[in-house]
Amino acid sequence: MLRKLLKLRSKAYYFLKIKIGNGDDTFFCWDPWTPFGPLIHYFGTNGPTLLGIPLFSTVKDQTTSTGWNLSPARSEKQTLLYAYITTINLSLSSDKAVWMIDEVTQRSFCSRNVWNKIRDPKPLVPWYQLVWHKARIPKHAFTVWLFILNRNPTLDRLVRWGCDVEKTCLLCGEEEESRDHLFFQCSYSAGIWKNIVAILTPLVAPSHWESTIIWLNSASLSKDTFLALLQAWHACIYEVWSERNRRYHSGKTLPPSSVYRNVLNACTNRAQSLVLHNPDRLSLLRCWESH
């Protein structure tokens, strides 16, 4: 992990900047105190020679009582640097390292802001709000995300990878196991899903995977009922997949009624925890507490 973090140093320089005070603690060539980053990178290894300053000179070393002590500019880069330097007046305060994004000093480090700056932006996928909603349970959301990408090792995928396994669904024993079958064309999981949805809305939920995605994206429900429905969808996928894995790895089984109860408990417990931090979520809890 440490090695991976060290590889990010070059990216960190993009956000780190030294605000000059007295210039005594900042290396002229090595530290990112100008908009051009470390000057050793801006000018190259011959930069100190070009500028006529010692390699480990500080910013303060290049000043006198009358101003800056720099050789005449002999390149466009030097001209740009000197134009910036003339705007700096040394003070009695110490130099200060700050974290900046878009030239705005940040009060604290925010991984989201940094990630948005260094990543290559992609268009929003139509299902993002179905997965990363505010009432999500992280492990449920992660499992749903993998299933949306169809990356979980369902039996049909294991067979395609060359594994010698039986493809019959471990829950119903009737058809081949796949993502679309498990959620919710399987007779075992379909009953759990429909019974959970019936608690929240009189609308009839589809059983096909793609149809469910479309239905959830277009459902006309109140805000908290919609969040509860997304919680239910997540929990059904997570608990059904857990039951499938329980059967696959240990041979133990639970009846649909037990999985149904696990779904209810997970959603209720999450709603209760949200109310503790935000009383406005009480209506979300009411969607579950009477069952």
Side-chain angles (χ1 to χ4, degrees):
M1 178 60 72
L2 179 59
R3 290 182 179 179
K4 291 182 178 180
L5 290 175
L6 290 175
K7 289 180 180 179
L8 296 175
R9 284 181 296 180
S10 60
K11 293 185 181 294
Y13 267 126
Y14 180 78
F15 303 101
L16 184 65
K17 186 175 179 180
I18 306 297
K19 283 196 170 182
I20 297 298
N22 55 26
D24 201 32
D25 299 320
T26 302
F27 287 112
F28 194 94
C29 290
W30 297 97
D31 289 327
W33 63 283
T34 75
F36 313 107
L39 297 179
I40 194 69
H41 298 157
Y42 182 60
F43 288 104
T45 54
N46 292 328
T49 302
L50 177 66
L51 296 171
I53 63 174
L55 184 61
F56 293 101
S57 175
T58 65
V59 172
K60 186 176 182 179
D61 292 338
Q62 300 310 307
T63 63
T64 66
S65 58
T66 58
W68 292 92
N69 181 26
L70 299 169
S71 61
R74 291 181 288 177
S75 69
E76 181 66 22
K77 284 187 174 182
Q78 273 184 281
T79 301
L80 292 174
L81 173 64
Y82 291 177
Y84 171 75
I85 286 178
T86 56
T87 66
I88 297 177
N89 295 313
L90 300 189
S91 65
L92 297 178
S93 62
S94 299
D95 300 338
K96 182 180 180 181
V98 295
W99 193 259
M100 301 187 73
I101 297 178
D102 293 332
E103 297 302 315
V104 177
T105 301
Q106 307 295 303
R107 292 185 177 181
S108 60
F109 176 82
C110 178
S111 58
R112 180 181 62 183
N113 292 342
V114 174
W115 171 243
N116 285 334
K117 291 299 297 184
I118 65 176
R119 72 184 181 93
D120 293 326
K122 304 291 184 182
L124 288 177
V125 291
W127 44 260
Y128 79 96
Q129 65 176 350
L130 304 183
V131 179
W132 312 116
H133 59 84
K134 294 182 179 180
R136 67 185 180 273
I137 298 173
K139 63 182 180 181
H140 290 190
F142 183 74
T143 300
V144 171
W145 175 61
L146 288 178
F147 271 118
I148 284 181
L149 300 177
N150 203 13
R151 294 292 188 270
N152 273 316
T154 50
L155 293 179
D156 64 323
R157 300 191 75 223
L158 292 179
V159 170
R160 290 201 298 271
W161 295 341
C163 298
D164 184 17
V165 295
E166 173 61 47
K167 291 193 293 182
T168 304
C169 175
L170 296 171
L171 299 179
C172 68
E174 298 170 358
E175 300 182 28
E176 291 184 359
E177 180 186 283
S178 65
R179 177 198 64 183
D180 291 10
H181 171 73
L182 286 173
F183 314 111
F184 295 98
Q185 294 175 327
C186 170
S187 58
Y188 181 98
S189 62
I192 298 170
W193 170 234
K194 290 180 179 178
N195 288 335
I196 287 291
V197 171
I199 293 174
L200 304 171
T201 174
L203 299 176
V204 178
S207 57
H208 189 274
W209 177 265
E210 296 297 339
S211 298
T212 301
I213 299 291
I214 295 172
W215 180 70
L216 289 170
N217 264 320
S218 59
S220 180
L221 300 168
S222 67
K223 179 179 179 180
D224 286 305
T225 302
F226 180 63
L227 282 177
L229 184 60
L230 293 181
Q231 281 186 313
W233 183 54
H234 282 206
C236 281
I237 290 175
Y238 180 84
E239 293 296 341
V240 167
W241 183 240
S242 296
E243 173 60 16
R244 178 269 190 194
N245 288 336
R246 187 180 297 110
R247 298 185 181 202
Y248 183 80
H249 294 292
S250 65
K252 298 179 180 179
T253 64
L254 289 178
S257 58
S258 295
V259 176
Y260 171 84
R261 181 53 55 184
N262 289 343
V263 171
L264 276 181
N265 289 340
C267 294
T268 302
N269 292 341
R270 178 55 174 164
Q272 288 174 338
S273 69
L274 291 173
V275 170
L276 291 176
H277 296 90
N278 183 3
D280 292 339
R281 292 296 183 197
L282 186 59
S283 55
L284 174 63
L285 177 59
R286 286 172 179 160
C287 293
W288 298 113
E289 63 183 358
S290 60
H291 300 281

